[in-house]
Amino acid sequence: MLATPVFLVLFPIAVAGVLLVVRNSRARRVIVGVSTVTIAAGSIVLAVQHLDGVNVYAFSGRSVDFAILSIDATIALSIILTGIRNKKYMVGCLAFVWMAIICWLNLGPARAIRIANPLYVDRFSVIMALIIGIVGGAVCVYSIGYMRTFAAQSSDVLDRSRIFFATGFVFLAAMFGVVFSNDLNWLCCSWQVATMCTFLLISYTQTPGAITNAFRQLTVSLLGGVALVIAVVYIGINLHTLELSKFLLTYLPGTTVALPALLLAFAGMTQTAQMPFHGWLLHSTEAPTPISALLQSSTIVMAGAFLLIRISPVLGGSPSIGWNIAGLTVQLVGGLTFLVCSVMAIGQSNISRMLTCSTIATMGLITVCAAIGKAEILWSAIFLVIFHAVAKPLLFLCVGAVERHMVLCGIDGMDVLFAATPSLNRFMSLGMGAMLLAPFLLFTKWVALSRLAATYDALLVLILLAGGAAASLLWIKLLARTTAVSRNPTTLDVSVSRVELFAIAFFSTLTLGVVVSLPFVSIEVVVPYLAQVYGIVWRALPTDNLLIAAAMTVPLVVIFVGNLQSRGALKCDLLFGAESVALITESRGDDEKQVERPDLGLVPYLPQARLSAIGTTVSVIMLVCGLDAAVRLAVGVI
């Protein structure tokens, strides 16, 4: 069974090498299509082989270790040179620090530490592998049609499709490396490869804005990478292991692992764009849409969520005092991010940025659930990951098609979708309905909040309730837009390629399939995984509650069928809909004019810059205080 995880790491790298040399676009499309099907099939085979429990693999040797170190050094050197060439010296300094620590660890203390099982595959690894292989692969297939049209429409942008697809496949390989690595050195290497791929994708267009955004992401990710490697050094020297599974088992509640746990969580929070690191993901939306879909559904953001969930046992409170400083700090930062970004999403007028704010908020909720470190709440975190992975790319792909074919990027014009492009509109409504009605928003968050209310901090519960209300309002607003009919319907010629429609239909089917299969996934996969992690026999929810959650498929189908065509639709004023704008008088000097404000005038009361500044300031204070306390615990001062 070792062959399958090794294949999933090495095969995408081989495909990337082939794509770099193939110049014929038709051949490239065939290679991408066949390869993604192969990777998805490999993920399914892995699931069949490893759903019975934990499998560890002894796959090591000095030659492998030196190969990993060589990759580390190559990436660091390329970052340093790129930083110097673009006068981004902070990036170069961080890469140098990261490389120096890695080299010192591998050439010094790590040589005396035996790593018995560098590869590790359990049920959670299987879930993540399915997300990477199926969701990531489907986004690559969608990109075939999108990038061809993008190149034709963007004459001022050099067509770099070869690099785009090659980077995408290396990205998938790096993600498989992250979820299979038990050796912390291998994890660091995969983490940095994923970081570099993110940088290359965000800077795809090579415009000054894209390069600035890419370096913003690289700086944040390198901060997380340095924190990650410092945590690895601490674990190696003080706990005498470099295996993640052993580190989680050697947990001494409350004190010994507070510092490395917080540093690992810090790395996870940089990739999930938690405050104060949220800016890089918001700015990444300026890249082509498939990049946003890939980053937020199955790659870099999910790498952060994976690490947070994986280390959840060392973030949970001890039986004696009920909390530890690492978990408490991460809970507060995650809760603050969930609340602030949910509110910020409502005030966004650009739909891509709105979806991205929603992603950051969801990652905040996942962060909170992981930091509490209890089995019943971690159950919710895992299902949030699953539903986000299938529903969010569906929305991004629909939005990408709308933006490109209709030159429409704001929510103000979405009331024309019903008449102009009913097929895209119904898929988009299905995705929004899934975010609102399905377990993603309603059921899973209800479970998380009810469990929190029963046992944990009241302030955190209030923050999460407020954030949940804001998130619900957001999806109601968007759903109202897509089901509204303009009083002055616009006739547009919108033609979406078959490949794009196929990918969008695939994600719609996948979303419905995940909702229907929730009871099975919970009983057969998630609950056994949590029982293995926490060493308890635990039942998440009664079967009838799980069946009720699965029955939410019905309203989703109703939304989809009800949006089939606009003939005979009632044209009326809808709350948050097409006609629900407020006329506000604005004065400039002696001139007064009436302007339309969408969303019943909510936007003026949700200043994005001020909300972001408040969240950034408070989260920085939390992190500094948490790190200070963790360091004091580590050196025995308190």
Side-chain angles (χ1 to χ4, degrees):
M1 292 193 292
L2 170 64
T4 309
V6 173
F7 170 80
L8 287 174
V9 173
L10 297 182
F11 179 71
I13 295 175
V15 174
V18 173
L19 289 171
L20 276 178
V21 299
V22 172
R23 294 182 176 275
N24 184 282
S25 58
R26 180 170 296 180
R28 188 186 307 134
R29 291 197 294 271
V30 173
I31 293 171
V32 170
V34 173
S35 301
T36 51
V37 171
T38 305
I39 293 171
S43 304
I44 295 171
V45 170
L46 179 91
V48 173
Q49 292 175 335
H50 294 83
L51 274 183
D52 58 342
V54 179
N55 294 272
V56 293
Y57 296 105
F59 180 79
S60 187
R62 280 297 167 194
S63 58
V64 178
D65 294 338
F66 278 115
I68 296 291
L69 187 58
S70 300
I71 296 172
D72 285 333
T74 303
I75 293 173
L77 190 59
S78 63
I79 292 175
I80 292 171
L81 294 176
T82 305
I84 293 173
R85 187 166 61 247
N86 291 275
K87 299 182 180 178
K88 303 290 184 182
Y89 302 115
M90 174 63 77
V91 165
C93 291
L94 289 171
F96 177 78
V97 170
W98 175 77
M99 183 178 70
I101 297 175
I102 281 284
C103 290
W104 173 80
L105 176 67
N106 281 276
L107 300 177
R111 297 173 68 87
I113 300 173
R114 180 176 179 272
I115 301 172
N117 300 300
L119 288 179
Y120 182 98
V121 181
D122 61 8
R123 292 180 177 88
F124 185 46
S125 304
V126 167
I127 291 173
M128 293 301 299
L130 289 172
I131 290 173
I132 297 164
I134 297 176
V135 175
V139 174
C140 289
V141 171
Y142 168 86
S143 304
I144 295 173
Y146 184 97
M147 297 308 292
R148 183 173 51 182
T149 309
F150 180 82
Q153 293 180 344
S154 308
S155 56
D156 56 335
V157 175
L158 181 64
D159 183 9
R160 302 167 70 234
S161 297
R162 284 190 301 155
I163 294 177
F164 172 84
F165 285 107
T167 305
F169 277 91
V170 173
F171 213 158
L172 297 184
M175 284 301 301
F176 283 124
V178 168
V179 302
F180 296 151
S181 293
N182 191 40
D183 184 332
L184 288 169
N185 274 319
W186 293 17
L187 175 64
C188 288
C189 180
S190 302
W191 192 272
Q192 289 304 82
V193 174
T195 294
M196 197 62 187
C197 291
T198 309
F199 172 80
L200 293 174
L201 289 178
I202 294 177
S203 62
Y204 173 79
T205 59
Q206 291 291 296
T207 61
I211 292 174
T212 300
N213 295 335
F215 273 105
R216 183 181 284 114
Q217 173 272 329
L218 192 57
T219 304
V220 170
S221 293
L222 284 173
L223 280 173
V226 171
L228 177 62
V229 76
I230 292 175
V232 172
V233 170
Y234 184 97
I235 293 169
I237 292 178
N238 292 280
L239 302 178
H240 311 293
T241 182
L242 287 176
E243 294 184 48
L244 183 58
S245 58
K246 288 185 178 178
F247 164 64
L248 299 178
L249 291 175
T250 56
Y251 169 46
L252 300 177
T255 55
T256 305
V257 300
L259 181 58
L262 187 53
L263 289 172
L264 290 172
F266 183 93
M269 289 191 291
T270 58
Q271 303 298 48
T272 52
Q274 298 300 284
M275 287 188 156
F277 311 112
H278 61 294
W280 77 263
L281 192 58
L282 284 174
H283 288 89
S284 71
T285 56
E286 296 176 19
T289 298
I291 294 175
S292 295
L294 196 64
L295 296 182
Q296 298 185 33
S297 66
S298 55
T299 55
I300 197 70
V301 171
M302 283 301 174
F306 170 80
L307 183 60
L308 288 166
I309 291 175
R310 181 66 91 195
I311 66 170
S312 177
V314 295
L315 294 174
S318 68
S320 57
I321 60 176
W323 56 274
N324 72 42
I325 190 63
L328 182 62
T329 303
V330 178
Q331 284 176 41
L332 292 175
V333 173
L336 179 71
T337 303
F338 178 52
L339 173 60
V340 173
C341 289
S342 295
V343 175
M344 286 175 61
I346 299 174
Q348 293 286 344
S349 57
N350 181 289
I351 185 127
S352 293
R353 288 178 68 89
M354 182 179 289
L355 293 178
T356 302
C357 278
S358 164
T359 293
I360 299 172
T362 302
M363 291 299 128
L365 183 56
I366 292 172
T367 300
V368 173
C369 294
I372 290 173
K374 302 298 180 185
E376 60 269 30
I377 298 176
L378 200 58
W379 180 91
S380 300
I382 294 174
F383 272 100
L384 281 170
V385 166
I386 296 172
F387 282 103
H388 176 86
V390 297
K392 191 53 70 74
L394 168 61
L395 289 173
F396 265 112
L397 301 195
C398 290
V399 168
V402 169
E403 287 179 347
R404 192 160 46 82
H405 293 288
M406 301 175 64
V407 197
L408 172 65
C409 60
I411 64 169
D412 301 344
M414 289 178 61
D415 52 293
V416 303
L417 292 181
F418 201 116
T421 170
S423 57
L424 275 180
N425 190 59
R426 78 184 65 145
F427 287 123
M428 191 180 294
S429 299
L430 174 64
M432 292 172 181
M435 303 292 273
L436 178 66
L437 297 176
F440 171 72
L441 192 64
L442 188 62
F443 181 72
T444 310
K445 288 180 181 174
W446 169 74
V447 171
L449 293 173
S450 63
R451 298 301 173 93
L452 282 168
T455 53
Y456 298 104
D457 181 59
L459 175 61
L460 187 60
V461 171
L462 289 176
I463 290 175
L464 295 181
L465 283 173
S472 300
L473 182 60
L474 167 69
W475 295 116
I476 291 172
K477 181 178 85 169
L478 288 175
L479 197 57
R481 283 282 180 183
T482 56
T483 53
V485 179
S486 172
R487 290 185 182 279
N488 301 303
T490 304
T491 301
L492 296 174
D493 180 17
V494 179
S495 58
V496 182
S497 69
R498 290 182 179 179
V499 174
E500 290 176 86
L501 273 180
F502 171 78
I504 291 171
F506 173 79
F507 276 111
S508 301
T509 307
L510 198 59
T511 301
L512 291 174
V514 166
V515 178
V516 171
S517 63
L518 187 144
F520 171 79
V521 176
S522 174
I523 294 171
E524 299 296 332
V525 183
V526 178
V527 171
Y529 165 73
L530 295 172
Q532 168 250 314
V533 170
Y534 290 95
I536 57 175
V537 178
W538 173 74
R539 186 181 181 188
L541 288 173
T543 304
D544 53 349
N545 284 3
L546 295 174
L547 293 176
I548 291 173
M552 290 183 183
T553 311
V554 176
L556 293 180
V557 173
V558 170
I559 290 173
F560 184 79
V561 175
N563 252 9
L564 286 179
Q565 48 85 30
S566 62
R567 186 179 302 168
L570 176 64
K571 296 178 174 59
C572 61
D573 295 341
L574 296 173
L575 182 64
F576 302 122
E579 308 297 338
S580 61
V581 294
L583 288 174
I584 298 176
T585 301
E586 285 189 352
S587 300
R588 291 186 177 180
D590 296 331
D591 298 331
E592 288 188 350
K593 66 177 182 179
Q594 285 192 321
V595 297
E596 289 185 344
R597 289 285 191 186
D599 310 323
L600 297 179
L602 281 176
V603 172
Y605 300 100
L606 303 173
Q608 302 292 300
R610 187 174 300 174
L611 285 171
S612 180
I614 292 172
T616 299
T617 303
V618 176
S619 58
V620 167
I621 293 172
M622 290 175 179
L623 285 173
V624 170
C625 293
L627 281 170
D628 177 65
V631 170
R632 288 170 181 267
L633 279 170
V635 299
V637 175
I638 57 175

